[in-house]
């Protein structure tokens, strides 16, 4: 048994313990992602929130998000200390906020990472050729589970989502994602619609996928004034 098998075994064991100690279902197969009128109330945890907003800042490195109070602004690199909003969240709401580093397996192109996030699978280099012509995901995934259980999703930003999950969203405002010279169209599109959608009452999940940081990294790299401008823009919008 190799390390990967051991990790998978531990994950399966942990999930089995959760199902048997925190749920009273005799058969763990009865567990459902979302409850409905046929769900045994003993087999479900009461939701903590009725609605969820997920904001994805593509290519946001861990060192873009950390904050060093001892670093003078005159000595900070263009990407350093430009998003203090995360540090503010950690200090003001420590029980509700977390900041973790994540090391993504290659390939790290958008389609492969979204597939990994929504299906739980590991992206492969065979998939990399599909990044420029993303095909619909047909295996079990989080988006289909949300829709299957009667929840409504709104998608804003990167148009890759529309290719991977056609017809799943209640509304979508998507923008071309492959022009790395364009730092603002996708981000501004998210911002143009986000507040209006938040004020509505017909949604359960909103996903906003910003691309400006990623495009700025491709065009200029992290040590450039444009990266500082983009990070500060998103800092204010998230705040």
């Amino acid at each position: 048994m190799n390390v990967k098998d051991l990790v998978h075994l531990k994950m399966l064991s942990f999930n089995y313990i959760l199902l048997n100690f925190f749920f009273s279902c005799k058969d763990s197969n009865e567990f459902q992602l979302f409850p409905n009128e046929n769900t045994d109330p003993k087999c479900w945890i009461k939701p903590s929130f009725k609605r969820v907003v997920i904001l994805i800042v593509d290519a946001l490195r861990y060192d873009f998000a950390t904050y060093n109070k001892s670093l003078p602004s005159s000595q900070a690199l263009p990407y350093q200390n430009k998003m203090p909003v995360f540090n503010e969240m950690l200090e003001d709401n420590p029980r509700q906020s977390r900041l973790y580093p994540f090391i993504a397996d290659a390939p790290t192109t958008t389609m492969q990472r979204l597939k990994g996030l929504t299906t739980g699978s590991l992206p492969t280099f065979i998939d990399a050729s599909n990044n420029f012509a993303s095909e619909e995901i047909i295996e079990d995934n989080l988006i289909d589970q949300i829709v299957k259980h009667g929840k409504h999703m709104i998608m804003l930003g990167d148009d890759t989502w529309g290719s991977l999950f056609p017809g799943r969203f209640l509304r979508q405002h998507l923008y071309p994602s492959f022009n790395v010279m364009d730092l603002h169209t996708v981000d501004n599109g998210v911002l143009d619609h986000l507040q209006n959608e938040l004020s509505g009452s017909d949604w359960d999940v909103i996903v906003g996928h910003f691309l400006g940081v990623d495009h700025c990294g491709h065009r200029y790299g992290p040590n450039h004034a444009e990266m500082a401008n983009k990070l500060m823009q998103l800092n204010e919008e998230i705040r």
Side-chain angles (χ1 to χ4, degrees):
M1 179 178 292
N2 58 34
V3 174
K4 184 177 291 185
D5 291 333
L6 184 60
V7 171
H8 288 168
L9 179 61
K10 287 184 177 180
M11 291 176 66
L12 289 171
S13 300
F14 181 67
N15 289 334
Y16 180 81
I17 292 172
L18 285 178
L19 287 173
N20 282 275
F21 282 88
F22 291 94
F23 300 93
S24 56
C25 303
K26 295 181 180 179
D27 183 356
S28 61
N29 290 328
E30 296 176 22
F31 176 73
Q32 294 175 290
L33 181 61
F34 295 102
N36 56 48
E37 63 275 7
N38 299 317
T39 302
D40 183 345
K42 294 181 296 183
C43 299
W44 181 247
I45 296 176
K46 184 178 180 180
S48 299
F49 305 97
K50 293 182 178 180
R51 302 199 288 182
V52 177
V53 178
I54 302 171
L55 298 181
I56 300 172
V57 180
D58 206 298
L60 185 70
R61 290 182 357 191
Y62 182 70
D63 53 349
F64 291 5
T66 56
Y67 190 78
N68 183 355
K69 293 182 178 180
S70 64
L71 180 65
S73 58
S74 60
Q75 298 179 19
L77 296 173
Y79 62 84
Q80 291 180 312
N81 286 1
K82 299 303 186 295
M83 298 195 76
V85 63
F86 297 123
N87 185 67
E88 294 167 7
M89 291 179 181
L90 291 168
E91 291 186 343
D92 296 342
N93 299 286
R95 297 186 63 183
Q96 290 81 34
S97 305
R98 294 291 185 273
L99 179 62
Y100 295 116
F102 173 75
I103 301 176
D105 293 322
T108 58
T109 46
T110 302
M111 188 280 283
Q112 288 73 34
R113 297 319 313 172
L114 292 184
K115 184 176 181 180
L117 284 171
T118 56
T119 68
S121 63
L122 295 175
T124 67
F125 282 98
I126 295 177
D127 289 329
S129 61
N130 294 329
N131 190 61
F132 299 98
S134 302
E135 298 181 353
E136 179 180 2
I137 291 178
I138 57 175
E139 61 258 50
D140 188 30
N141 62 81
L142 182 61
I143 305 302
D144 282 342
Q145 286 293 331
I146 291 173
V147 174
K148 175 183 176 182
H149 288 84
K151 305 298 180 180
H152 298 121
M153 293 190 66
I154 295 173
M155 185 66 228
L156 312 174
D158 189 327
D159 64 351
T160 307
W161 289 87
S163 300
L164 296 178
F165 304 104
R168 270 62 156 207
F169 305 119
L170 177 66
R171 284 186 297 280
Q172 60 184 37
H173 305 283
L174 304 177
Y175 303 87
S177 57
F178 287 113
N179 182 9
V180 296
M181 304 299 286
D182 182 357
L183 310 185
H184 305 296
T185 297
V186 177
D187 290 4
N188 290 343
V190 174
L191 299 175
D192 287 344
H193 295 283
L194 182 58
Q195 290 300 324
N196 183 57
E197 294 292 359
L198 286 172
S199 65
S201 59
D202 60 349
W203 59 271
D204 300 288
V205 180
I206 292 179
V207 178
H209 188 156
F210 296 96
L211 273 184
V213 172
D214 178 62
H215 286 188
C216 189
H218 285 295
R219 183 175 179 181
Y220 297 109
N223 291 304
H224 194 279
E226 286 298 329
M227 181 63 78
N229 292 335
K230 177 54 67 175
L231 293 174
M232 288 189 291
Q233 177 198 16
L234 294 179
N235 181 76
E236 292 305 313
E237 296 300 338
I238 293 172
R239 177 183 282 124

